[in-house]
Amino acid sequence: SSKYVLSHMHPMWQGPLAVPGGDRQSPIDIVVRKSIFDSELKPLVTDYDPDTCQQIWNNGYSFLVEYDDTTDKSTLRGGPLQDKFRLCQFHFHWGESNSWGSEHTVDRKLFPAELHLVHWNSDKYSLFEEAVMEENGLAVIGVFLKVGKRHEGLQKLVDALPAIRHKGSVVEFTRFDPACLLPSNIDDYWTYHGSLTTPPLTESVSWIVMKQHIEVSHDQLAVFRSLLFTSAEEEVQKSMECFKGTRLSLGSFIQNN
Ligand SMILES: CC(C)NC[C@H](O)COc1ccc(S(N)(=O)=O)cc1
Ligand SMILES: [Zn+2]
């Protein structure tokens, strides 16, 4: 099993952790020829309980599937990790076309989308919000998506998206096993110390990026893109804007006759 570590050996500086301009910001370009095999890395062990799946919501930037992380029922350990990490949510990043969307790149290659499974260190901390500020607080598994055959496991999720079309909407979502979204060989990965890719951008993430991608169909990805990142009331405002314009011109038409 070929496990690679990225050698970003910057001199460790004692600066504050959450400096967005810091020296371990994610995402990065994974330069394959610069990755180093590390035989010390252990097999990655995921142990997810589908019963901890709770809800799916549109946060205005992506959609998140959230898990009950009040117990150690859905966990990640092994690989580069010394502790046990609890799954709290997974989400995707995608683009408006198949030519872009992923956050990480591999030798500058972009993928149409990227899945992030977010875990926090439950051996050391008691809440995600606490772990997010700590050096070894989080572990995120990244999986690249490519357009190809339909992903049967993803379809249950795709079918739930129309119900959360607008920013801020949330619906109950249960019994979803995120392991179905992982590639067949999860021991083929690159790992490096980085940060959250969106605010608060804290440098608290052990990244584990899968070398193997998963395939989803064009239609499934099109449903991702059908999500709106404006709220329902913003939608009404926008439609009123163009209507308001019409009323003004209509008024002037009446005056001129
Ligand atoms: C600090 C807490 C309260 N809020 C943080 C907020 O949820 C953002 O969490 C996250 C979680 C994961 C990621 S990524 N794309 O790097 O996997 C980015 C932001
Ligand atoms: Zn993400």
Side-chain angles (χ1 to χ4, degrees):
S1 58
S2 57
K3 300 185 277 289
Y4 295 80
V5 68
L6 291 167
S7 63
H8 284 253
M9 302 309 289
H10 298 287
M12 295 306 291
W13 57 294
Q14 302 308 319
L17 188 62
V19 176
D23 70 344
R24 36 178 284 199
Q25 284 296 294
S26 297
I28 63 168
D29 175 44
I30 295 169
V31 185
V32 179
R33 70 186 177 291
K34 284 193 184 167
S35 64
I36 300 171
F37 179 80
D38 178 352
S39 56
E40 298 287 302
L41 287 167
K42 309 269 180 306
L44 209 53
V45 181
T46 61
D47 181 6
Y48 296 142
D49 177 351
D51 285 337
T52 55
C53 189
Q54 289 183 319
Q55 60 189 22
I56 183 170
W57 70 289
N58 175 337
N59 71 353
Y61 307 96
S62 176
F63 60 89
L64 286 84
V65 177
E66 296 191 306
Y67 284 74
D68 166 21
D69 62 355
T70 55
T71 70
D72 266 343
K73 277 189 178 167
S74 288
T75 60
L76 168 69
R77 54 193 164 79
L81 308 172
Q82 305 308 324
D83 298 318
K84 186 184 283 190
F85 288 70
R86 242 178 235 174
L87 174 70
C88 61
Q89 54 106 329
F90 71 80
H91 62 273
F92 296 83
H93 301 266
W94 64 88
E96 288 316 301
S97 82
N98 292 341
S99 55
W100 62 279
S102 65
E103 296 202 312
H104 289 94
T105 49
V106 180
D107 290 341
R108 296 287 167 202
K109 175 189 163 61
L110 276 156
F111 291 82
E114 184 174 336
L115 159 66
H116 288 160
L117 294 138
V118 183
H119 312 73
W120 54 273
N121 188 329
S122 57
D123 280 346
K124 288 204 165 54
Y125 311 108
S126 48
L127 284 174
F128 168 83
E129 282 71 17
E130 193 187 326
V132 78
M133 304 308 288
E134 304 297 331
E135 183 94 25
N136 61 358
L138 304 179
V140 182
I141 295 178
V143 183
F144 294 115
L145 274 65
K146 267 179 105 169
V147 179
K149 64 181 187 313
R150 178 183 143 106
H151 193 294
E152 292 310 325
L154 187 73
Q155 195 52 38
K156 177 178 177 179
L157 210 161
V158 168
D159 290 339
L161 295 184
I164 56 163
R165 210 161 121 70
H166 291 104
K167 176 175 83 172
S169 33
V170 56
V171 288
E172 186 188 48
F173 191 69
T174 56
R175 297 210 47 68
F176 186 83
D177 179 5
C180 81
L181 298 176
L182 295 173
S184 48
N185 181 358
I186 62 169
D187 278 329
D188 225 355
Y189 59 81
W190 298 288
T191 183
Y192 74 99
H193 286 293
S195 72
L196 296 180
T197 64
T198 66
L201 295 168
T202 42
E203 299 181 338
S204 54
V205 182
S206 294
W207 277 98
I208 299 166
V209 180
M210 291 294 148
K211 227 171 129 187
Q212 283 182 349
H213 61 269
I214 59 170
E215 277 191 25
V216 302
S217 72
H218 181 85
D219 290 353
Q220 288 178 313
L221 216 42
V223 181
F224 282 26
R225 298 180 183 126
S226 73
L227 281 183
L228 295 170
F229 291 153
T230 49
S231 65
E233 55 270 13
E234 279 168 315
E235 283 303 294
V236 169
Q237 280 306 326
K238 232 161 61 179
S239 61
M240 293 304 281
E241 285 307 309
C242 64
F243 175 66
K244 196 166 71 183
T246 317
R247 206 169 35 250
L248 276 177
S249 59
L250 191 62
S252 60
F253 177 74
I254 289 168
Q255 273 151 9
N256 297 340
N257 292 284

